């Protein structure tokens, strides 16, 4: 049937079929009426044979023109299986989004329901990624954070309220996620994660998201994930830049160590190192609600794309940043280095990049 997200209209004397990224111009005026008649015919579920029969009686100009009209509708994800869209289903609008991306929405939803994600960090980014995944139907979330809710968190950690101040973030977040989707199994873990042993004690998962700012944690997580064959991604802000990726798929994509992605402190105890240490020790991020939302929403979309398989994540083999003040896109290549000390020997996962 015709996807509910299809719209048609004229602009500058041209008929446009579709809406958003699938919008296509139809310049040949001879196709306009049969195309619109066929689209109207497909408002109800039809078989291909029914559509051909309909075209025979409604499309002058022979088989070639009828073929062109059918192709226009079939290309560009304008037609979807009739079973896909039930307006009353809780995931129905997401189902349309998956179909728009060319995926089978039923299969995407099943894959999400079978997925488990571990989130290291339940603050401004982790909390918003978590609620996006839970409400999208991801089956299980493990929320890891040792912090407690503070008054200064409330500008961006929107699932916490003034009444939650002093309570463990992971437990409050778990409570809020259960309120929003009972089908999502949520496990709060109120604990610091600093080293290899801490990481090994967490449940195995399909993907791990890091939004915690402990010094050196990303390198430790990367090494652990490469060793255990666990895909992972970082999401954060660099002052006023919303940043996500790379989404590391061990044995397939580049990892955190393949290319230098962030500045690093000099080795040893030289004078410069000590000066830099003193300056950096006083760093406090100017965390901002909209920048947190930007990073977390685009990171969550990549997580859903990877788990659900409705298109390639935007952060495979690259770290992406959006400058909040002028919307410049900042990209750092993170392709695989065959000589990388961390991932050179990693073998692809069974399913590879979904
Ligand atoms: Zn590597």
């Amino acid at each position: 049937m015709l996807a509910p997200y299809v719209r048609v209209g004229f602009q500058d004397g041209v008929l446009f079929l579709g809406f958003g990224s699938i919008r296509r111009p139809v310049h040949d005026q001879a196709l306009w009426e049969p195309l619109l008649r066929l689209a109207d015919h497909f408002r109800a579920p039809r078989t291909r044979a029914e559509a051909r029969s309909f075209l025979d009686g409604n499309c002058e100009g022979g088989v070639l023109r009828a073929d062109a009209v059918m192709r226009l509708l079939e290309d560009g994800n304008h037609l979807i299986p009739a079973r896909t869209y039930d307006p009353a289903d809780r995931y129905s609008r997401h189902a349309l989004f998956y179909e728009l991306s060319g995926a089978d929405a039923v299969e995407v939803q099943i894959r999400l329901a079978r997925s488990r994600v571990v989130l290291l960090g339940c603050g401004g980014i982790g909390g918003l990624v978590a609620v996006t995944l839970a409400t999208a139907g991801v089956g299980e979330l493990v929320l890891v954070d040792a912090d407690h809710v503070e008054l200064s968190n409330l500008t961006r950690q929107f699932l916490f309220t003034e009444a939650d101040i002093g309570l463990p973030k992971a437990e409050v977040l778990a409570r809020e996620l259960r309120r929003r989707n009972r089908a999502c199994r949520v496990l709060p873990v109120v604990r610091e994660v600093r080293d290899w042993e801490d990481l090994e004690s967490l449940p195995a998962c399909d993907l791990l998201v890091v939004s915690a700012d402990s010094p050196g944690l990303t390198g430790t997580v990367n090494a652990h994930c490469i060793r255990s064959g666990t895909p992972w991604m970082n999401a954060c802000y660099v002052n006023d830049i919303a940043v996500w990726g790379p989404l590391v798929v061990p044995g397939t994509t580049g990892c955190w160590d393949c290319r230098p992605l962030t500045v690093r402190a000099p080795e040893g105890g030289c004078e410069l190192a000590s000066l830099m240490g003193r300056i950096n020790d006083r760093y406090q991020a100017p965390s901002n609600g909209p920048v947190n939302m930007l990073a977390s929403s685009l990171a969550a979309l990549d997580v859903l794309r990877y788990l659900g398989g409705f298109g390639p994540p935007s952060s495979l083999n690259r770290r992406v940043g959006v400058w909040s003040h002028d919307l410049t896109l900042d990209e750092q290549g993170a392709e695989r280095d065959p000589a990388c000390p961390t991932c050179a020997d990693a073998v692809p996962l069974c399913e590879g990049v979904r």
Side-chain angles (χ1 to χ4, degrees), residues 292-305:
N292 276 260
M293 285 193 283
L294 193 54
S296 55
S297 63
L298 293 166
L301 182 56
D302 268 2
V303 171
L304 291 171
R305 280 194 184 116

Side-chain angles (χ1 to χ4, degrees), residues 254-255 257-258 340 342-343:
C255 84
D257 291 336
C258 282
C340 172
T342 306
C343 75

Side-chain angles (χ1 to χ4, degrees), residues 243-322:
V243 176
W244 72 103
L247 198 168
V248 176
V249 183
T252 300
T253 71
C255 84
W256 190 261
D257 291 336
C258 282
R259 323 267 163 193
L261 295 171
T262 58
V263 294
R264 301 188 183 189
E267 304 281 336
C270 64
E271 177 65 12
L272 283 182
S274 126
L275 282 169
M276 291 166 82
R278 283 214 301 277
I279 293 168
N280 291 340
D281 280 348
R282 54 181 286 289
Y283 175 74
Q284 174 60 58
S287 190
N288 172 269
V291 176
N292 276 260
M293 285 193 283
L294 193 54
S296 55
S297 63
L298 293 166
L301 182 56
D302 268 2
V303 171
L304 291 171
R305 280 194 184 116
Y306 177 74
L307 297 174
F310 58 94
S314 64
S315 58
L316 290 175
N317 291 313
R318 63 177 183 165
R319 189 172 188 237
V320 193
V322 178

Side-chain angles (χ1 to χ4, degrees), residues 10-322:
F10 287 109
Q11 190 171 358
D12 299 326
V14 176
L15 174 70
F16 282 90
L17 171 68
F19 208 45
S21 64
I22 62 167
R23 191 176 95 137
R24 295 287 179 274
V26 183
H27 296 280
D28 185 350
Q29 294 190 21
L31 299 181
W32 290 357
E33 187 174 337
L35 175 63
L36 293 176
R37 285 192 185 283
L38 185 64
D40 181 58
H41 183 64
F42 267 117
R43 284 190 303 113
R46 309 286 183 188
T47 64
R48 186 180 295 267
E50 285 172 334
R52 294 302 308 203
S53 165
F54 178 81
L55 275 176
D56 288 344
N58 289 275
C59 181
E60 295 174 5
V63 175
L64 284 180
R65 186 172 291 169
D67 285 347
V69 168
M70 263 312 282
R71 237 185 351 263
L72 276 168
L73 267 195
E74 287 184 317
D75 294 349
N77 306 323
H78 299 302
L79 298 177
I80 62 174
R83 67 186 168 111
T84 295
Y85 182 55
D86 170 8
D89 181 76
R90 80 178 289 153
Y91 302 119
S92 59
R93 306 313 193 268
H94 272 200
L96 294 181
F97 190 84
Y98 306 144
E99 291 287 342
L100 180 74
S101 307
D104 182 311
V106 174
E107 289 178 11
V108 170
Q109 208 62 56
I110 290 171
R111 284 195 285 265
L112 293 179
R114 289 177 179 163
S115 298
R116 177 194 283 158
V117 176
V118 170
L119 294 114
L120 296 187
C122 299
I125 289 177
L128 293 174
V129 169
V131 73
T132 307
L133 301 185
T135 52
V138 170
E140 188 168 345
L141 298 178
V142 181
L143 312 172
V144 188
D145 202 312
D147 288 349
H148 293 64
V149 179
E150 299 175 19
L151 181 63
S152 65
N153 298 149
L154 303 186
T155 51
R156 59 208 180 275
Q157 301 180 27
F158 304 125
L159 296 182
F160 305 146
T161 69
E162 292 178 356
D164 297 322
I165 291 170
L167 298 177
K169 287 185 180 180
E171 290 183 0
V172 177
L173 183 59
R175 180 196 75 201
E176 292 302 313
L177 299 186
R178 291 181 187 122
R179 281 179 174 170
R180 285 160 176 79
N181 192 349
R182 284 172 299 171
C184 180
R185 297 176 300 282
V186 186
L187 174 66
V189 178
V190 184
R191 199 176 69 210
E192 289 275 4
V193 171
R194 292 182 183 279
D195 55 28
W196 197 279
E197 273 187 17
D198 296 335
L199 287 164
E200 294 219 312
S201 69
L202 296 172
C205 62
D206 299 292
L207 192 140
L208 187 147
V209 179
V210 178
S211 64
D213 55 3
S214 311
L217 182 62
T218 42
T220 308
V221 167
N222 182 62
H224 175 267
C225 286
I226 295 294
R227 179 78 67 86
S228 63
T230 306
W232 79 279
M233 81 179 296
N234 181 239
C236 64
Y237 46 82
V238 179
N239 278 356
D240 52 350
I241 306 176
V243 176
W244 72 103
L247 198 168
V248 176
V249 183
T252 300
T253 71
C255 84
W256 190 261
D257 291 336
C258 282
R259 323 267 163 193
L261 295 171
T262 58
V263 294
R264 301 188 183 189
E267 304 281 336
C270 64
E271 177 65 12
L272 283 182
S274 126
L275 282 169
M276 291 166 82
R278 283 214 301 277
I279 293 168
N280 291 340
D281 280 348
R282 54 181 286 289
Y283 175 74
Q284 174 60 58
S287 190
N288 172 269
V291 176
N292 276 260
M293 285 193 283
L294 193 54
S296 55
S297 63
L298 293 166
L301 182 56
D302 268 2
V303 171
L304 291 171
R305 280 194 184 116
Y306 177 74
L307 297 174
F310 58 94
S314 64
S315 58
L316 290 175
N317 291 313
R318 63 177 183 165
R319 189 172 188 237
V320 193
V322 178

Side-chain angles (χ1 to χ4, degrees), residues 320-338:
V320 193
V322 178
W323 290 46
S324 58
H325 65 280
D326 68 357
L327 301 185
T328 300
L329 199 63
D330 200 353
E331 296 181 68
Q332 290 174 278
E335 297 83 4
R336 195 169 183 199
D337 174 5

